[in-house]
Amino acid sequence: MKIQNLLFVLIALFGLGFNANAQTTQKEVVTKQVKQNARINDGVRSGELTPAEAKKLKQQQRDINRTKRAAKADGVVTRKEKAVIKHKQNRASANIARKKNNEQTR
């Protein structure tokens, strides 16, 4: 009986840890998206981004949002879908930095 209880507790703890990890990942994705949008808006305000650059960067952000919605559509976001979203966010972040630091200004 004690072994069954111990096994039940271990399974419950594992399940809670997995759920907490999934929520943390989702929060990180949302936080990164918010920060990227703020960087784009700051670049527009400061003149570091031209209107055309800002438009392309915002299109990239919309594409990431579409990818996130599609991943959540079936109720389960797989590791592969998470990896695709993270990769797109990393590319977007690099594009923001590159466009903000190029020689083009408003």
Side-chain angles (χ1 to χ4, degrees), residues 1-44:
M1 189 69 160
K2 288 183 180 183
I3 292 176
Q4 288 176 336
N5 289 341
L6 180 63
L7 185 59
F8 177 74
V9 170
L10 288 175
I11 291 172
L13 288 175
F14 177 74
L16 290 174
F18 182 74
N19 190 22
N21 187 30
Q23 289 175 349
T24 302
T25 303
Q26 192 173 22
K27 285 181 183 179
E28 290 170 358
V29 167
V30 171
T31 302
K32 193 167 192 172
Q33 201 75 11
V34 169
K35 287 180 180 180
Q36 287 180 353
N37 282 320
R39 289 172 56 204
I40 294 169
N41 292 333
D42 289 343
V44 170

Side-chain angles (χ1 to χ4, degrees), residues 74-101:
D74 63 355
V76 178
V77 181
T78 65
R79 284 184 181 183
K80 185 176 181 179
E81 289 169 332
K82 287 178 191 175
V84 168
I85 292 167
K86 190 170 185 171
H87 177 72
K88 285 185 174 193
Q89 284 185 322
N90 289 340
R91 284 186 50 205
S93 182
N95 287 341
I96 293 167
R98 185 173 41 81
K99 289 183 186 233
K100 282 180 78 170
N101 294 305

